[in-house]
DNA sequence: AAATATCAATTACATATGTAATCAAAACGT
DNA sequence: ACGTTTTGATTACATATGTAATTGATATTT
């Protein structure tokens, strides 16, 4: 009898829980309505609703392939101390990825511009950034400026840093400034000489003063435009790889910790230095594709960005690689 | 390209929806937090949450065998115009049903008593009512009264209407009054003569003045205590069945519409008349078991109760039977 | 190009919600 | 039987929510 009684007690407790949950989640009654219908007080109903959710009596499921992305965004933010992550489902057609990521970037920039906060926008280089600019809806806010954060390429005309910056500037009615020079000088000394010129001082200052910078990273394979058309022909990529390079940010090659590798090429780069990039409040890293997972991981571990725009598959891989790196280092 | 663009539009719309839903339902952020995190306004987030629920993006499920009961309660209330329905899962051990329903009744009565509203409580007869009384926690509120709403049985001592009423009265410290007579008089004339006596006038008035009445119904099978021990031995049950009786409320036999059947026995009943029962604000019908489904349906169709305490299986069957009855009648 | 229509963002407000503090009752031990 | 501890109900209040009205921006039509 005693056991029976306690069972009844529990049963009626669960009954109450189910009743409350039903009325609240299924019928949409207010907590007060439920309380008076069930002959209790509202605070209790409130507690019971919480209990119902915590105990798993109530299960809430999101029914979309996008759910996993949103969850991943949270994980990435926590793992890399990001302020924001935008993860899109990896498309079946890989060639559509740049366009998708670019669209996401354009949306973000539009959002930021509507808040009127960023006045100076820095742009890097790459297919994804190019696509972002293409997708920017044309509108004008007064007082905006766009600056390229890196020098241009001398070979291969597919995408040019000057074009990207000036196109964006035209679309949003902004002032525009570039590094009017090739990305790599012939030597470290040459670089310093160029940078000491007034126009470059100014370009560099403009870039460093950006409120937000949108940039991509490049990997070390032949798929990278930087590897194919940026790095001087007489410099074998293997040299960089031997120094631990796993990719570049603004033409500056970094290792798996995100630190610039010890190679002369880095000293020849005409671009916003990585150290100065850290002074920029918002750095949006927009890159995707499994081949870039390692550089993305490196850039994030090195805390070169506070915002990531990426595809799901690559982001997961990057998380994995980053864990390996920190496990070795730590 | 056009198709691609529109896909992107939809995609980003769904992305927003999923993002909002995720933050709200999974991470428990407030709508304002979500709005600012996603760069929109709160009203939009609010709308999106509604959309997410309506569109089926968010699925909320209650994970309990009791869920079906609570849903059924709502259906029963709407179908029969009940103020309240308490449906418990049908137990595997049928013999436990009366105890379970009794417990539910006791809980309800306790609840009502705590509200201090009902001062006069009427009780019928039956195993379920007996169990309810047994389960009542002993406590006292001043000014309560209990009255039996029907006469007693002369054969079979298992459960007595007097005992039920007086036991309940004792437990809650109430005054008590009965119909101190057998449930059936020898004739209609005899019944009228008895009822004209002062004590019975008083008992009847007490019963009719109840704030709440707890009663059960009986079916026409041998399982019914009323059939076995209440109906005079010289009266074949078949006579009542021929008149369309499908069971009794307080010894008064009703047809499938819930109307008293045209049989002399009904005129011999010493109990609160069904017409007077309709004057009682709260009539709690507590009965269960598949054999009683038909009477329960009849009683509900006849609107003799505003509260039902029943088991799931029986309640479903009663719903079904009631639909048949009203389909024929309408 | 001007005027209108349409849509979404902002504001505003009444209501609902979550939570802490107070209060009453019951259970427990002394 | 009295006081203590624990439990749950009530109150109170700051915050969050749902919704309607207003405003402003964009698109459409004449």
């Amino acid at each position: 009898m005693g056991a029976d009684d306690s069972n009844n007690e529990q049963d009626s407790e669960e009954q109450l829980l189910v009743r409350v949950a039903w009325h609240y989640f299924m019928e949409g009654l207010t907590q007060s309505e439920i309380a008076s219908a069930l002959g209790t007080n509202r605070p209790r109903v409130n507690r019971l609703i919480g209990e119902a959710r915590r105990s798993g009596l109530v299960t809430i499921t999101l029914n979309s392939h996008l759910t996993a992305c949103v969850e991943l965004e949270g994980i990435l933010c926590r793992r890399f101390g990001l302020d924001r992550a935008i993860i899109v489902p990896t498309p079946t057609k890989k060639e559509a990825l740049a366009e998708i990521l670019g669209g996401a970037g354009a949306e973000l920039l539009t959002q930021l511009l509507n808040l009127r906060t960023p006045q100076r926008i820095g742009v890097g280089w790459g297919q994804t950034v190019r696509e972002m600019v293409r997708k920017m809806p044309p509108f004008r806010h007064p007082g905006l400026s766009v600056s390229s954060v890196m020098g241009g390429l001398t070979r291969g005309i597919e995408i040019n840093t000057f074009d990207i910056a000036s196109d964006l500037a035209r679309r949003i009615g902004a002032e525009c400034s570039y590094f009017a020079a090739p990305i790599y000088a012939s030597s470290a000394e040459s670089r310093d000489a160029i940078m000491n010129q007034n126009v470059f001082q100014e370009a560099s200052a403009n870039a460093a003063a950006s409120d937000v910078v949108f940039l991509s990273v490049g990997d070390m394979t032949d798929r990278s435009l930087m590897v194919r058309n940026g790095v001087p022909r007489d410099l074998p990529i293997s040299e960089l790889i031997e120094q631990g390079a796993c990719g570049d940010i603004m033409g500056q090659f970094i290792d798996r910790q995100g630190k610039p590798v010890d190679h002369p090429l880095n000293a020849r780069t005409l671009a916003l230095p990585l150290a100065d990039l850290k002074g920029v409040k918002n750095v949006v890293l927009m890159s995707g594709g499994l081949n870039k997972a390692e550089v993305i991981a490196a850039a994030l571990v090195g805390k070169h960005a506070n915002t990531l725009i990426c595809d799901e598959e690559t982001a997961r891989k990057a998380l994995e690689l980053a864990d390996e790196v920190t496990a070795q280092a730590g």
Side-chain angles (χ1 to χ4, degrees), chain A:
Chain A
M1 238 341 184
D4 257 39
D5 272 358
S6 84
N7 270 345
N8 286 350
E9 275 299 306
Q10 282 176 16
D11 234 53
S12 113
E13 192 62 24
E14 199 197 338
Q15 281 226 10
L16 186 63
L17 211 60
V18 173
R19 244 179 267 281
V20 165
W22 178 268
H23 290 316
Y24 193 72
F25 292 106
M26 297 293 151
E27 297 185 338
L29 301 188
T30 70
Q31 301 186 356
S32 339
E33 285 173 317
I34 296 168
S36 62
L38 265 48
T40 4
N41 47 64
R42 196 180 58 72
R44 182 138 106 109
V45 171
N46 188 267
R47 263 197 312 281
L48 287 168
I49 288 170
E51 238 172 81
R53 291 202 54 175
R54 262 174 280 111
S55 71
L57 173 73
V58 174
T59 317
I60 301 184
T61 30
L62 296 193
N63 223 336
S64 168
H65 58 287
L66 298 175
T67 307
C69 295
V70 180
E71 187 178 10
L72 184 56
E73 288 170 2
I75 296 171
L76 289 162
C77 284
R78 285 187 292 276
R79 173 67 178 81
F80 296 116
L82 299 173
D83 291 331
R84 179 166 23 211
I86 298 168
I87 304 302
V88 300
T90 305
T92 11
K93 298 174 283 179
K94 301 293 176 196
E95 63 276 16
L97 184 55
E99 195 188 328
I100 292 170
L101 295 179
E107 243 174 76
L108 174 59
L109 178 53
T110 306
Q111 219 173 79
L112 292 175
L113 289 177
N114 279 330
L115 294 176
R116 304 284 195 289
T117 33
Q119 296 286 309
R120 300 144 179 270
I121 301 148
V123 286
W125 173 83
Q127 216 185 317
T128 311
V129 179
R130 166 81 276 186
E131 289 297 336
M132 174 184 85
V133 172
R134 259 203 240 286
K135 295 232 171 223
M136 275 305 288
F139 65 66
R140 48 203 62 235
H141 288 306
L144 294 177
S145 72
V146 171
S147 29
S148 174
V149 295
M150 55 200 286
L153 270 66
T154 48
R155 300 196 309 274
I157 44 151
E158 303 157 57
I159 305 169
N160 198 293
T161 58
F162 313 133
D163 287 347
I164 290 178
S166 68
D167 192 6
L168 177 59
R170 193 177 329 110
R171 280 170 193 263
I172 66 177
E175 299 279 311
C176 187
S177 82
Y178 336 85
F179 278 78
I183 176 93
Y184 296 117
S186 55
S187 67
E189 295 72 32
S190 163
R191 185 210 99 109
D192 293 343
I194 295 171
M195 283 302 277
N196 272 332
Q197 290 183 250
N198 267 344
V199 277
F200 289 98
Q201 292 282 334
E202 205 178 301
S204 184
N206 277 340
S210 296
D211 299 308
V212 56
V213 169
F214 288 82
L215 48 78
S216 186
V217 287
D219 61 29
M220 300 305 290
T221 70
D222 273 353
R223 300 183 55 177
S224 161
L225 289 175
M226 183 60 75
V227 164
R228 285 217 307 275
N229 300 323
V231 175
R233 284 231 167 96
D234 54 8
L235 195 153
I237 297 301
S238 55
E239 263 188 33
L240 288 159
I241 293 176
E242 273 158 30
Q243 291 298 321
C246 64
D248 80 287
I249 305 181
M250 301 181 291
Q252 293 157 85
F253 288 85
I254 56 172
D255 64 19
R256 308 217 303 170
Q257 254 85 39
K259 304 221 176 66
V261 296
D262 187 21
H263 187 282
L265 187 62
N266 273 347
R268 291 164 55 185
T269 317
L270 284 158
L272 179 65
L274 286 180
D276 291 356
L277 186 65
K278 297 235 175 181
V280 176
K281 295 235 168 48
N282 288 293
V283 178
V284 180
L285 169 47
M286 44 195 313
S287 277
L290 270 181
N291 49 306
K292 289 193 177 174
E294 200 180 0
V295 220
I296 291 169
L300 294 178
V301 168
K303 299 217 178 290
H304 294 298
N306 78 325
T307 302
L308 173 68
I309 300 179
C310 188
D311 65 290
E312 185 184 358
E313 199 175 297
T314 307
R316 286 194 196 285
K317 182 75 179 169
L319 259 179
E320 200 181 297
L321 293 169
D323 283 343
E324 280 174 28
V325 169
T326 42
Q328 281 172 22

